[in-house]
């Protein structure tokens, strides 16, 4: 699965996407991530990508020309939907990430900044708008990484058995509920004991206990 990210801060992605599971997934070619600097597409002589809002008001708005050209450029190689990350979009949920992962369709992720992007781009070039929660961040870069992480870990082979997502919170097998508590060694830590049932080796009783702890 291929993700193309459109941003004016391409270096923001350097740390997270180059570590751990997402790094491994790229190395094994299970996912591909391409980052595009919207500023490079600006025809303004100072490479400007924002301007004051018509009608007045605080803040700047991302101008349509660089966004239009950047999207059109990426669409030459990525035929998937253009997703604009915005707090006004539909909220990302586990069933939605499952659907996106199972479709295995490439995605173009558009990151806003400032007050957002010119509405004409949303009206004509954006296919879907997604929010990662009802709060406002400074930009769409973290939401884009959240989406890539949440989708990628569901792609077969991306996470190993020891990190399996089958029994995670909100998964189908947990009936979309929140997962049971986890304990590891030592069995006693600062006078706090692990529940006896987990040490019993009795699989049925452990399963029943875990089911009873789902929320
Ligand atoms: N003026 C916008 C509003 O009130 O809806 C908020 C703009 S925000 C400061 C700048 C950018 O951050 C947005 O265009 C969007 O790309 C991104 N962003 C902020 N919060 C987000 C969220 N909860 N989910 C997805 N993207 C978000």
């Amino acid at each position: 699965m291929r993700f193309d990210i459109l941003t004016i801060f391409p270096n923001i992605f350097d740390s997270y996407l180059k570590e751990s599971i997402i790094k491994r997934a790229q190395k094994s070619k299970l996912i591909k991530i391409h980052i595009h600097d919207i500023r490079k597409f600006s025809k303004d002589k100072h490479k400007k990508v924002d301007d004051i809002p018509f009608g007045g008001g605080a803040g700047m708005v991302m101008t349509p020309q660089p966004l239009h050209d950047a999207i059109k450029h990426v669409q030459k190689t990525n035929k998937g939907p253009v997703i604009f990350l915005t707090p006004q979009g539909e909220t990302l949920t586990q069933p939605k990430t499952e659907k996106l992962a199972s479709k295995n369709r490439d995605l173009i992720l558009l990151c806003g900044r400032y007050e957002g992007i010119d509405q004409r781009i949303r009206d004509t070039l954006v296919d879907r708008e997604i929010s990662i929660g009802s709060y406002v961040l400074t930009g769409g870069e973290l939401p884009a990484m959240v989406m890539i992480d949440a989708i990628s870990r569901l792609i077969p082979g991306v996470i190993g058995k020891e990190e399996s997502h089958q029994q995670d919170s909100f998964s189908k097998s947990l009936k979309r509920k929140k997962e049971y508590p986890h304990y590891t060694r030592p069995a006693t830590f600062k006078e706090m004991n692990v529940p006896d049932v987990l040490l019993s080796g009795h699989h049925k009783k452990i399963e029943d206990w875990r089911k009873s702890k789902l929320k």
Side-chain angles (χ1 to χ4, degrees):
M1 189 164 175
R2 174 183 171 127
F3 301 93
D4 282 88
I5 306 172
L6 297 171
T7 172
I8 57 169
F9 292 111
N11 299 334
I12 279 184
F13 298 92
D14 278 355
S15 56
Y16 194 77
L17 300 180
K18 290 186 179 162
E19 294 286 346
S20 182
I21 291 172
I22 301 298
K23 174 185 171 183
R24 258 183 3 231
Q26 291 175 89
K27 217 172 161 193
S28 51
K29 302 210 173 358
L30 291 165
I31 60 167
K32 281 187 196 148
I33 302 171
H34 295 266
I35 298 163
H36 308 269
D37 184 355
I38 295 168
R39 203 174 289 282
K40 287 197 177 146
F41 293 87
S42 174
K43 288 185 176 145
D44 177 82
K45 63 176 176 219
H46 304 296
K47 294 284 166 199
K48 239 177 97 149
V49 288
D50 60 311
D51 214 327
I52 51 170
F54 277 123
M60 301 296 269
V61 177
M62 290 178 76
T63 53
Q65 178 275 314
L67 291 169
H68 172 274
D69 290 9
I71 293 170
K72 289 290 176 192
H73 170 78
V74 168
Q75 283 178 327
K76 286 181 197 155
T77 39
N78 186 326
K79 304 293 174 199
V82 176
I83 297 178
F84 174 46
L85 284 315
T86 164
Q88 300 161 31
E90 52 176 302
T91 307
L92 191 65
T93 60
Q94 192 64 14
K96 283 178 194 171
T97 58
E98 285 168 9
K99 215 168 169 183
L100 287 162
S102 68
K103 273 191 183 166
N104 204 11
R105 242 185 121 193
D106 298 340
L107 299 176
I108 300 172
L109 303 176
L110 175 57
C111 308
R113 280 270 157 177
Y114 316 116
E115 285 308 314
I117 66 172
D118 189 285
Q119 184 63 33
R120 290 164 289 188
I121 295 296
R122 292 171 77 174
D123 292 343
T124 55
L125 292 176
V126 169
D127 298 302
R128 192 168 173 187
E129 299 194 333
I130 290 184
S131 162
I132 61 159
S134 301
Y135 43 82
V136 178
L137 300 163
T138 50
E141 288 77 13
L142 283 170
M145 284 192 271
V146 167
M147 270 196 78
I148 291 175
D149 189 300
I151 294 168
S152 299
R153 66 191 298 282
L154 300 176
I155 294 172
V158 168
I159 54 174
K161 201 171 172 249
E162 66 280 9
E163 301 147 327
S164 174
H165 55 75
Q166 303 293 340
Q167 299 271 314
D168 274 335
S169 298
F170 316 118
S171 63
K172 245 190 220 157
S173 62
L174 294 195
K175 299 195 168 69
R176 304 292 182 201
K177 291 186 174 176
K178 292 176 196 160
E179 204 189 29
Y180 45 80
H182 295 289
Y183 295 89
T184 185
R185 279 177 278 195
T188 303
F189 175 68
K190 292 191 186 289
E191 293 172 17
M192 292 177 284
N193 296 325
V194 169
D196 286 341
V197 63
L198 298 179
L199 307 175
S200 69
H202 196 298
H203 295 302
K204 175 78 177 78
K205 278 189 186 160
I206 293 172
E207 205 186 310
D208 289 346
W209 180 85
R210 285 180 168 163
K211 260 188 205 155
S212 75
K213 295 290 176 189
L214 297 178
K215 281 185 245 155

